[in-house]
Amino acid sequence: MKLRNLEYLIQEAFIGIWRNGIMAVAAVSTVALSLAILGVFLLLVLGSHRFVERQLAGFEVAAFLPREASQEDAEKVRDTIAKLPLTKNVELLSRDKEWAEFKRKMNTKIDLGGVTDNPLPYALHIESKDPRKTAALAQQIREIPGVKRVADAREDYRVVRAVADLVKLLGFAASVVLCLTTVFIISNAIRLTLFARRHEIRIMQLVGATNWFIRIPLVLEGIILGALGAVIAVGLVAVSLEYVAGLVVRMLPPTLRDVSSGVSHTQFIALLVLGGAAIGALGSFISIRRFLKV
Amino acid sequence: MIELCDVSLVYPNGVQALSHVDLRVGRGDFAFLVGTSGSGKSTLLKLLYRELSPTEGKVFIAGQDITTLPQNAVPFLRRRLGVVFQDFKLLPQKTVWENLAFVLRVTSVPRREMRKRISEALDLVGLMHRCDSFPAELSGGEQQRAAIARALVNNPPILVADEPTGNLDPDTSWGIMQILTRINARGTTILVATHDNQVVDRLMRRVIALDCGKIVRDENRGTYSSTPESESMCKSEITES
């Protein structure tokens, strides 16, 4: 293919969009709306995914020493736990601080006047590297000499884990369905624009144009319209997140507010625009085949 | 230039459009293909630009057997053949000039050469002054002249026209036919399917009459009107089939 031809074919793509204005607007708005819905949905799925992961990571193991254990014993146990491969972080709690806190909380409910000596044992908070292996870590700590009792909130963890898995599964399934729907809607819009021009395609064939010569400008048009629709979709997503999601999030309790997806703006924009262009190209390519058949 | 050897064509629905047609149109000839609607005129022309392939027999264009042509070679056959249609088939989103330019773009003709050839073709049909108009802004006669110019712009050795005056009034039709005879005088082989009896009778050229898919008459200087026998023959064949 000569350079002059390529230049002409690209020019043809733009002229095609300009002279088929209404169909182009229809295709672009279809792409924009469906990609915006898909985009917002994917961000929500990613956000909730990240949220439940964070909740899971919050589960800690608590280890308690016998009452007679000294500060030295406690530090020894702490160092042993720190060396375990599953340990991410271990904190030795201060007995005095805990006692003060306990008294402050309980003072109004029970009379602690008779207790003068601090009755609390040394306690440690351990964070696991892998929230899934919290139970295994708890078991390992239980076997360390000098540890009296280990609490790992296993039941609570199991419930949250199940909810998290369900959220992820539903999010994934719905994403797949919505992705397929989006591709279908967009390629349908492209097929309509091509259907409106099927006579044009036919005439080009009759005057001796090769299929590639007909196809290239139309596929380019598909890419341009897809990318254009995606750019508008990015705008729609930005606006809806800024104003609508902002309002919703402010109504939630503070612990639930951080539902950001963890996807950077550039990543998201690139993903949507490239996705739009790819769907545009693929949709045109597949739809043209039908009209190129004699 | 054009040669059909024992060509038969049966459509998928079982209709026999052509049966055992033998035809030769020599270089520089001007021939009319006449017959009633459904006699097989359009089918015969469609065989020439490979819109259809015969179920039997062979079709030669400039000595080349086009029935065995692979699908991806068909565009190249069409570039050697100018085709004019009853409904003009101009690209509606392109101006007259761009319609002609498209044909040349397809064959990668240099820009300067392109301008020269388009001007020549438009001059020949007398449409230079409407070159920036879109097809919808032209009258029927002007659209057909634009279509003829498009068919010519590649300088094809053969020009095929399917009812080129079917949608036009008698005066305009006569103008179109004069353009075709002018093109023929330059050496282009022309085959015109028509049922415009006035034009055929006035020009007194070669007339090939088709009836129910068979050639029933082939006269070097003929008129449109068919003999009564051929008409009755068609009716009897229809009842037979």
Side-chain angles (χ1 to χ4, degrees), chain A residues 149-170:
Chain A
R149 198 170 66 81
V150 174
D152 64 354
R154 212 177 300 174
E155 275 311 306
D156 293 353
Y157 178 79
R158 214 170 283 157
V159 172
V160 176
R161 176 87 251 163
V163 171
D165 286 345
L166 189 69
V167 167
K168 281 190 212 168
L169 184 74
L170 287 180

Side-chain angles (χ1 to χ4, degrees), chain A residues 2 4-5 7-8 11-12 15 19-20 197 199-211 213-214 294, chain B residues 49 51 71 75-76 78-79 85 89-95 98 102-103 105-106 108-111 134 150 154:
Chain A
K2 290 179 186 159
R4 192 179 54 241
N5 259 343
E7 188 192 314
Y8 170 75
Q11 194 188 328
E12 274 300 279
I15 293 177
R19 290 192 184 157
N20 293 280
R197 294 168 70 178
H199 294 303
E200 202 178 326
I201 295 173
R202 187 86 202 87
I203 294 168
M204 289 177 175
Q205 283 187 316
L206 283 176
V207 299
T210 54
N211 285 350
F213 201 87
I214 300 169
V294 183
Chain B
Y49 54 89
E51 175 89 344
Q71 196 58 43
F76 303 92
R78 290 179 180 164
R79 293 174 198 177
F85 305 92
K89 292 209 193 301
L90 294 166
L91 293 167
Q93 310 280 20
K94 291 185 188 298
T95 64
E98 288 167 345
F102 183 82
V103 179
R105 295 272 187 201
V106 162
S108 305
V109 172
R111 206 166 292 193
F134 285 93
R150 180 183 63 186
N154 252 340

Side-chain angles (χ1 to χ4, degrees), chain B residues 2 5 25 28 37 87 104 129 131 147 168 204 210:
Chain B
I2 301 172
C5 297
V25 180
S37 303
D87 58 353
L104 297 176
H129 61 294
C131 70
L168 305 175
M204 287 294 282
L210 271 177

